[in-house]
Amino acid sequence: MSAATLRATPAPAPAPEQRRVVAAGRRRVRLSTVALTAAVAVTTLIVLLPLFIVLFTAFKPTAEVNAYPPTLLPDAWTIANFDRIFTDLPFARLIGNSFLFAGGVTLFAVTFDALAAYALARIDFRGRRTLLVAIVATLMIPFQATLIPVYQIVSDLGWVNTFAGLIAPRAADAFGIFFLRQFFVALPRDLDNAARIDGASELRVFAQIVLPNARPAILTLAIFVFVNNWNDLLWPLVFTTQREMGTITSGLTQLTGPGGIVPYGVMMAGALVAVVPLVLAFMLVQRKFIESIATTGLK
């Protein structure tokens, strides 16, 4: 039989039983896809529910906020809560303080953590493992246990109600050192060894070889540190006593009225405004983070 005859011969039609099996398989796939999509949608709604409550409460008048039973959507939308956060508080100053505090801690912490992690991962010296164990062991000490001694040191230096007192005690972090150290260990040593053979110093190897290949880890740590300090409440409350030196989180606590009355609508409006810079910063860094992963050739 010629090749032309083989090409012209139509393929045999599938048997009815085979068609039923294929159709049943497609129905199962469609049903599983629909079930998975529904589960993801429900989970997403549950996760976003607190954000919806904050959003809608910020636009409710006081009477609706305190009404029982509570409602999700406001009956009468208002922006009076947003007006109050700027009249009752130095809100612009608090936002600026939050940026200086969280941004300063992020800058110093990422720099010092990266330097310490590089030394622990790429430089051989006596006691390196002991030092790493000691650093990791500090993660087991509760933050509250060291708060009073740290405050005493800051007070003795005269740094209470200053940005130095807010930033300096957090200029390095054990978790950041351990996190970056684990990433640096995974990088091939051939690159920095070749640079040392060419006469590069350790600082040049760190700045031009290791750091460019560790951008995903650096950006991840920067996001973590910035968000953690932006949302921190206890630290600014302890180290600042002046209203003008507070951050957005500590400033919102000043809205509590006599008798412990909390204007939840105003606080939700302030929290909503405070979230906007975080979302913008995350979106910006996320793009750089994806680009760094896409352009790096190392794993």
Side-chain angles (χ1 to χ4, degrees), residues 167-184:
I167 296 173
R170 292 193 165 185
D173 180 66
F175 170 79
I177 295 173
F178 177 73
F179 175 76
L180 292 180
R181 186 260 178 192
Q182 296 303 107
F183 193 91
F184 290 163

Side-chain angles (χ1 to χ4, degrees), residues 61-78:
T62 304
E64 287 191 38
V65 173
N66 298 325
Y68 186 85
T71 58
L72 181 61
L73 294 175
D75 293 331
W77 295 75
T78 179

